[in-house]
Amino acid sequence: MPELDKIIHSPARLKIMAALMALGPSDQLDFSTLGTTLGLTDGNLGAHLQTLEEAGYIKIEKTFVARKPRTFVRTTTRGRARFEEHVEALREICKV
Amino acid sequence: MNEEPNPPPNRDEARATLAAIDATHAETRRNIGSSEFGPNMIWCGLLWMVIFTYVQFLPGPVYLLWVLAVAFFVAFAAMKKLRPSPVKSAPDWRVGALLLVILGYAGIFWALLQPQGFQKNLPSPDVVMEARKFAAYAVIVSMFLNVIVGLTVRPSRFFVGLGLLMTALVLVGYYCVPAWFCLWMAAVGGSTFVISGIFIRKFWK
């Protein structure tokens, strides 16, 4: 029986994971694009990302592109599995 | 960040959450440009129809048309790459391996079909035959690329199905309606691309 994940269940983090799941497993999404897509401020997004990273659901990578600092985010295998289980649990609730 | 633990959702809330996930998914794809895939496929289908119709009625240096079409798409893809992408992909060794497989497949079909498109001063029936061979070759090889991508890089039954369907259509046209092969490909192949593009645009999330 799939279970809801308490960390992913928060609306903002659920959307962050949903956005990152739209990419391939090895693809990384730019921090500012993620913030714009979800309508979150940099501070708010940063805090939620930190929670997800501490849980091992995402990886954050800071790098330089054309001498400008850029931050990229991607899901981990564990994060993708937990998100899929969370979605499955939601589907089970819908069936009841 | 201290948050109150959320209570488990009821049926309506779960449904709303799933809808929010779908909406976020679609919005992300729109923002990173993946949603351009559908329209690109429609353009590809239209270009396909124009080239094949042209080749049916004016079979000349057909290889030149295919070279121009490929150059057009390569230039288009390169222009898009110049913009800083919001997505960074890890280098994938499979891409190199796939290129080798595709080159091998292209080589086998070159030997089987033997489209000698660069020969000049061929008698008229041979020119028509060459145009047919070259068109079949170009489609069979590019559709193999679809199948490979659909099986490995981006697992998708859609890509595999499209590749196999188009290859089958090429073979049916090549052997069953040889005199109207290019027109067959223009109508059937072009519309398959256009319908696929519309399908992707409407239903892919």
Side-chain angles (χ1 to χ4, degrees):
Chain A
M1 179 80 177
E3 283 182 16
L4 291 171
D5 186 292
K6 284 178 188 165
I7 294 168
I8 295 176
H9 193 48
S10 141
R13 289 195 288 271
L14 182 94
K15 284 187 176 180
I16 291 170
M17 288 301 290
L20 294 175
M21 290 292 285
L23 280 70
S26 61
D27 293 337
Q28 300 175 311
L29 187 59
D30 175 55
F31 179 91
S32 59
T33 306
L34 186 59
T36 312
T37 304
L38 303 178
L40 295 173
T41 62
D42 285 0
N44 201 0
L45 177 61
H48 285 297
L49 287 179
Q50 196 182 341
T51 306
L52 287 167
E53 191 179 35
E54 281 166 4
Y57 294 176
I58 61 161
K59 276 270 181 199
I60 300 172
E61 188 186 304
K62 293 177 192 289
T63 183
F64 283 87
V65 178
R67 294 184 185 177
K68 288 179 186 169
R70 281 182 79 182
T71 303
F72 287 93
V73 188
R74 72 170 171 85
T75 51
T76 60
T77 309
R78 175 179 150 85
R80 294 183 86 85
R82 293 297 295 138
F83 181 82
E84 276 163 12
E85 194 179 334
H86 186 82
V87 169
E88 200 48 49
L90 289 169
R91 289 202 183 110
E92 291 291 333
I93 293 169
C94 289
K95 281 183 200 165
V96 176
Chain B
M1 188 175 299
N2 295 320
E3 288 178 17
E4 287 290 315
N6 290 317
N10 60 33
R11 199 170 166 181
D12 289 340
E13 287 168 341
R15 205 166 279 160
T17 306
L18 287 171
I21 289 171
D22 280 348
T24 306
H25 207 83
E27 180 66 18
T28 308
R29 292 183 71 82
R30 202 163 24 248
N31 279 357
I32 63 176
S34 296
S35 60
E36 291 171 20
F37 186 62
N40 285 350
M41 209 148 189
I42 295 171
W43 281 113
C44 188
L46 294 174
L47 184 68
W48 178 285
M49 284 177 177
V50 170
I51 291 180
F52 273 110
T53 308
Y54 176 88
V55 172
Q56 175 71 50
F57 296 107
L58 297 165
V62 65
Y63 60 89
L64 208 62
L65 269 176
W66 287 111
V67 169
L68 282 174
V70 170
F72 172 77
F73 274 104
V74 169
F76 182 68
M79 273 173 63
K80 291 185 78 171
K81 275 276 174 196
L82 287 177
R83 290 185 300 179
S85 171
V87 178
K88 198 169 81 167
S89 299
D92 195 342
W93 63 270
R94 290 179 305 175
V95 175
L98 291 180
L99 280 176
L100 285 178
V101 171
I102 290 159
L103 276 176
Y105 186 83
I108 289 168
F109 266 88
W110 186 274
L112 286 174
L113 288 174
Q114 297 184 331
Q116 305 295 321
F118 298 98
Q119 285 182 4
K120 290 177 181 169
N121 303 324
L122 288 172
S124 185
D126 287 351
V127 170
V128 176
M129 185 64 185
E130 283 302 299
R132 193 154 64 93
K133 281 181 175 179
F134 218 95
Y137 179 76
V139 181
I140 284 174
V141 172
S142 56
M143 287 306 115
F144 181 67
L145 183 68
N146 264 40
V147 173
I148 291 289
V149 167
L151 286 174
T152 54
V153 179
R154 182 178 174 167
S156 157
R157 272 180 289 182
F158 172 80
F159 283 119
V160 176
L162 181 69
L164 293 176
L165 174 68
M166 292 293 275
T167 304
L169 288 175
V170 171
L171 295 174
V172 168
Y174 192 83
Y175 290 109
C176 300
V177 280
W180 298 99
F181 173 69
C182 289
L183 203 58
W184 161 270
M185 287 314 299
V188 181
S191 56
T192 303
F193 269 108
V194 172
I195 291 166
S196 303
I198 293 169
F199 177 84
I200 288 169
R201 199 177 151 84
K202 290 268 180 202
F203 300 108
W204 264 22
K205 290 188 174 165

